[in-house]
Amino acid sequence: MKKDIERHVFNSLKEQYLFQNLPTDLIDDQTDFTIHNIRDIHPVLPYTSIVYRVNFFSFVFVKSGTGRYTTDEQIYTTRPGTIYFTNPGHFKSFEWQELDEVYLITLSESFLKENVHADIFEEFPFLLAETVAPRVLPPEEFAVFEQLYLLLKKEYESTSFYRNKVIGNLFVVLLLKIKEFFWKDYNPIYEGNRSSQIVKTFKRGLEKHYRDMSRGVIDKPFRVQEYAASQGLHPNYLSNVIKTKTGKSISTWVSEKTIAEAKSLLQNSTKSIKEIAYLLGFGESTHFSNYFKKHTRQSPVVYRKELKS
């Protein structure tokens, strides 16, 4: 089943719609941002999608419609007043029984960073939350978002030279309203058991990876991206959870583990400094020696000599 799902990975909404034999004339190829009323895409109801992954963000605003969607193993119903979003990397599917006005916004991470600002995830960390449950708003509160997404649609359909920048600024307002209504006090630590499991899995993965490196099974350290990919998470989100739950950044965990493994190899093996450097992913022994000295104030040679004495 997972192998089938992995074949359905889409980098854009147009790519997804083409695969699903859905109309794409409402999608502009010149930008990584889209907005349209889903009613115009699904003339025949009910509609059930395949299970797939995407590499972009999706925001859905249900003024009038009913259905449900899944993200990984979570199943949520959608009804009038529902607002929800999903981020890249998760297993997804959806179905619609009724559609009248349901607006979908999609955009890439690069669009966010280029047209909103580079530190978008610091201001709006909830964008990287693993799974965020939908919210259902009363009509008067939903109207605030309706006004914003209709403004976004109008700008999306314009030919202005500044279109993407205007869309970016309007989207900031939309995110601020989402933050105000839904996640004003968002913090990954409050995601409870799942965040704790993420930390445990990261620690186990870190330990296994360095164990494999010291045995020569793997020849380079993982980056944040690899640790995140192993759990199907966004790198920024994993970093946020680890830092919040442990008080230490991933880079600190990695550097501490590197030094611990280096000390163990220097003490318990007869391998040369060059061999140890290679096992720990350093291309040159001088880089390893400088790294070790930076973190211990001793060179590997001096450390090993002191142990012998």
Side-chain angles (χ1 to χ4, degrees):
M1 177 63 176
K2 283 192 174 181
K3 288 184 179 179
D4 292 335
I5 294 171
E6 290 297 345
R7 284 200 290 266
H8 305 319
V9 180
F10 306 114
N11 294 313
S12 69
L13 186 66
K14 183 171 184 177
E15 187 179 312
Q16 176 189 337
Y17 278 8
L18 285 172
F19 184 88
Q20 295 174 305
N21 295 314
L22 297 172
T24 61
D25 53 301
L26 297 177
I27 298 175
D28 183 356
D29 289 336
Q30 304 304 310
T31 180
D32 288 338
F33 179 96
T34 73
I35 178 171
H36 60 272
N37 189 345
I38 300 177
R39 176 193 61 199
D40 300 327
I41 304 298
H42 301 290
V44 179
L45 296 174
Y47 179 86
T48 301
S49 77
I50 59 172
V51 180
Y52 59 96
R53 287 183 189 266
V54 297
N55 292 321
F56 51 84
F57 292 87
S58 298
F59 292 76
V60 179
F61 304 87
V62 184
K63 182 177 181 180
S64 179
T66 59
R68 70 175 187 170
Y69 73 97
T70 65
T71 176
D72 293 334
E73 297 179 354
Q74 304 293 324
I75 302 175
Y76 301 106
T77 59
T78 49
R79 56 191 178 89
T82 300
I83 295 176
Y84 71 88
F85 77 89
T86 58
N87 52 28
H90 301 291
F91 295 122
K92 298 170 59 177
S93 67
F94 62 87
E95 58 185 70
W96 292 107
Q97 282 81 45
E98 298 177 301
L99 277 173
D100 184 18
E101 185 173 318
V102 179
Y103 272 83
L104 168 67
I105 293 175
T106 71
L107 67 168
S108 66
E109 180 174 328
S110 61
F111 185 92
L112 279 170
K113 291 184 174 179
E114 290 171 16
N115 297 287
V116 182
H117 58 72
D119 298 322
I120 183 71
F121 299 128
E122 291 185 16
E123 183 173 358
F124 304 107
F126 59 80
L127 286 174
L128 302 177
E130 183 202 1
T131 301
V132 178
R135 304 297 172 96
V136 180
L137 300 182
E140 63 274 12
E141 292 182 358
F142 187 90
V144 174
F145 292 93
E146 181 184 15
Q147 182 181 19
L148 288 170
Y149 67 65
L150 290 178
L151 282 172
L152 281 163
K153 181 175 183 291
K154 181 179 179 181
E155 195 60 38
Y156 178 68
E157 294 171 347
S158 79
T159 57
S160 169
F161 179 78
Y162 302 104
R163 183 184 67 159
N164 283 356
K165 284 297 182 183
V166 174
I167 288 173
N169 281 279
L170 285 171
F171 199 74
V172 168
V173 179
L174 183 68
L175 289 177
L176 286 169
K177 284 298 179 183
I178 289 175
K179 191 174 183 179
E180 176 186 352
F181 277 79
F182 300 162
W183 298 287
K184 184 177 181 180
D185 301 318
Y186 170 81
N187 190 311
I189 199 169
Y190 297 124
E191 290 182 18
N193 293 335
R194 178 54 181 152
S195 291
S196 298
Q197 186 59 47
I198 288 172
V199 174
K200 290 177 184 177
T201 302
F202 165 72
K203 289 181 179 179
R204 286 198 300 267
L206 183 70
E207 178 66 30
K208 181 181 184 303
H209 185 65
Y210 273 81
R211 189 164 61 247
D212 289 343
M213 286 177 65
S214 66
R215 299 202 320 264
V217 177
I218 299 173
D219 62 2
K220 63 180 180 180
F222 276 177
R223 300 171 300 167
V224 175
Q225 288 87 338
E226 279 88 19
Y227 286 114
S230 69
Q231 298 195 56
L233 303 174
H234 190 286
N236 296 63
Y237 177 67
L238 177 65
S239 298
N240 204 5
V241 170
I242 299 300
K243 176 71 175 186
T244 303
K245 296 287 284 184
T246 71
K248 295 190 296 186
S249 65
I250 290 178
S251 61
T252 299
W253 277 98
V254 169
S255 62
E256 288 180 353
K257 189 63 181 172
T258 301
I259 295 301
E261 289 296 321
K263 287 182 175 180
S264 176
L265 289 167
L266 288 167
Q267 180 176 354
N268 301 312
S269 78
T270 58
K271 295 182 186 299
S272 67
I273 303 298
K274 185 177 181 179
E275 288 174 315
I276 292 173
Y278 178 77
L279 283 174
L280 295 176
F282 292 87
E284 298 181 9
S285 57
T286 53
H287 291 164
F288 167 64
S289 295
N290 290 336
Y291 185 90
F292 189 89
K293 189 171 184 179
K294 175 184 175 182
H295 289 277
T296 67
R297 298 185 180 181
Q298 289 180 306
S299 69
V301 174
V302 171
Y303 179 81
R304 178 172 263 177
K305 283 182 178 179
E306 287 191 355
L307 286 173
K308 289 182 179 179
S309 64

